[in-house]
Amino acid sequence: MTWRALPRRLAVLNAKGGTGKTTLAVQLAAGLARRGPTALGDLDPQGSAAQWLRAGGVPVHDGEAVWRVDAAHLVWDCPPSVEHPAAQRALREADAVLVPVLPSPLDLWASWRLVEAIRAEQARRAALRAWLVVNQLEPGSALSAAMHEALREFELPALRAVVRRRAVYRSAALQGVSVYDLGPRAAAAVADIEAVIEEMQA
Ligand SMILES: Nc1ncnc2c1ncn2[C@@H]1O[C@H](COP(=O)(O)OP(=O)(O)OP(=O)(O)O)[C@@H](O)[C@H]1O
Ligand SMILES: [Mg+2]
């Protein structure tokens, strides 16, 4: 198998709120930081990523600084809107885009317009990679047939890796750390995040 380089600029983007952009951006930044110098760019005016990692190991940038960071990997936590200028700029400047979606077809359909915007950007820049990633799947349960069907309708591939609903993601957020800092009780969450990172370079 040939391995691709991990994205240098990864935008975590969805027009829909609450799908897990900040959670995934923070955890992926923590995972990427184990592979090379990594920074997190907080593009959301709510500033949740910046708040989250104020005590953690990954440097967080906001404002104009997010566009100028010099790091092997830069992860952008985007605001929940395709129209937001920062989200648009992230889409134009990213090497890769990850779209977290909840495991329900209705939620997925709410991302249709964003997927069209990503496809339009890919038509301009063939090198732009993009995936849907299912977040908050109930542990132990499989994706429903309806969800598989809905994912197939989209022109973006879905990662085989899924991120499950786990309380440790919430406790990590409360403690201002990543799941990598939480020891054995977060092992399954770390495995989720590692699987996402590995699939991005497969
Ligand atoms: N895999 C998960 N397991 C458990 N809780 C999760 C998971 N992913 C996200 N959450 C929780 O769901 C809520 C929404 O997640 P998050 O803030 O990451 O979404 P968001 O897309 O960044 O939201 P917004 O659009 O408001 O910026 C948070 O309370 C978060 O802790
Ligand atoms: Mg957020």
Side-chain angles (χ1 to χ4, degrees):
M1 177 189 281
T2 42
W3 288 84
R4 300 198 195 207
L6 280 167
R8 210 172 75 71
R9 290 165 167 236
L10 172 66
V12 184
L13 183 58
N14 195 333
K16 202 179 137 38
T19 60
K21 294 175 291 297
T22 301
T23 301
L24 290 190
V26 169
Q27 302 305 340
L28 290 168
L32 289 168
R34 299 160 70 88
R35 293 161 167 85
T38 300
L40 184 61
D42 190 355
L43 298 178
D44 191 342
Q46 294 177 101
S48 4
Q51 236 170 348
W52 188 332
L53 275 199
R54 67 193 181 283
V58 179
V60 185
H61 301 268
D62 56 11
E64 263 307 298
V66 301
W67 309 109
R68 297 190 303 263
V69 180
D70 185 25
H73 309 293
L74 173 57
V75 182
W76 284 319
D77 177 25
C78 294
S81 148
V82 209
E83 281 80 32
H84 195 287
Q88 298 226 332
R89 184 166 172 188
L91 181 54
R92 285 197 310 272
E93 297 193 13
D95 310 310
V97 179
L98 208 49
V99 181
V101 294
L102 299 178
S104 105
L106 269 183
D107 276 287
L108 181 58
W109 286 112
S111 306
W112 184 258
R113 253 165 43 74
L114 168 67
V115 169
E116 288 196 325
I118 294 172
R119 296 290 295 163
E121 185 62 19
Q122 285 182 317
R124 275 191 290 275
R125 291 195 293 132
L128 175 65
R129 293 185 293 152
W131 308 270
L132 302 165
V133 58
V134 174
N135 180 34
Q136 303 212 38
L137 183 64
E138 228 34 77
S141 74
L143 280 185
S144 67
M147 187 64 185
H148 274 296
E149 178 75 17
L151 284 168
R152 273 197 298 273
E153 304 268 321
F154 277 72
E155 284 186 63
L156 280 193
L159 292 181
R160 283 186 305 279
V162 298
V163 178
R164 294 191 178 259
R165 183 194 296 281
R166 302 186 193 279
V168 280
Y169 290 112
R170 288 170 193 268
S171 24
L174 288 172
Q175 294 175 51
V177 298
S178 82
V179 291
Y180 291 85
D181 303 312
L182 293 178
R185 75 188 169 100
V190 167
D192 287 350
I193 301 300
E194 287 290 307
V196 169
I197 293 175
E198 279 164 24
E199 204 175 337
M200 285 195 296
Q201 61 183 342

